Amino acid sequence: SPEFFTKLIKASGHAPGEITYAGDRPDNDIRPACAMGLFTVWVKRGPWGFITGVDEAVDLALDDLAALPQRLAPESGAWAGLL
């Protein structure tokens, strides 16, 4: 819900574009986070990783959450054009 993301942004003390939000459901995680201006990471796991296609709203898609730190490292280029 928008209320959740509003609270998350306020509690973090950061601007939305400075927050990375990872989730595994495009409908509950990715689209709402993207609508609030967060950098979104779709972790394609569980049933949602198989029954949904790549969501156009996602900034970064991963097959494994363990890959997240390396993919967000400055040299990875994931942030190119966003900072």
Side-chain angles (χ1 to χ4, degrees), residues 5 8-9 15-21 32-40 59:
F5 290 98
L8 181 141
I9 293 165
E18 298 174 329
I19 301 169
T20 297
Y21 189 84
C34 182
M36 295 298 290
L38 281 64
F39 183 86
T40 55
D59 293 303

Side-chain angles (χ1 to χ4, degrees), residues 1 4 9 27-28 67:
S1 73
F4 168 80
I9 293 165
D27 57 339
N28 287 347

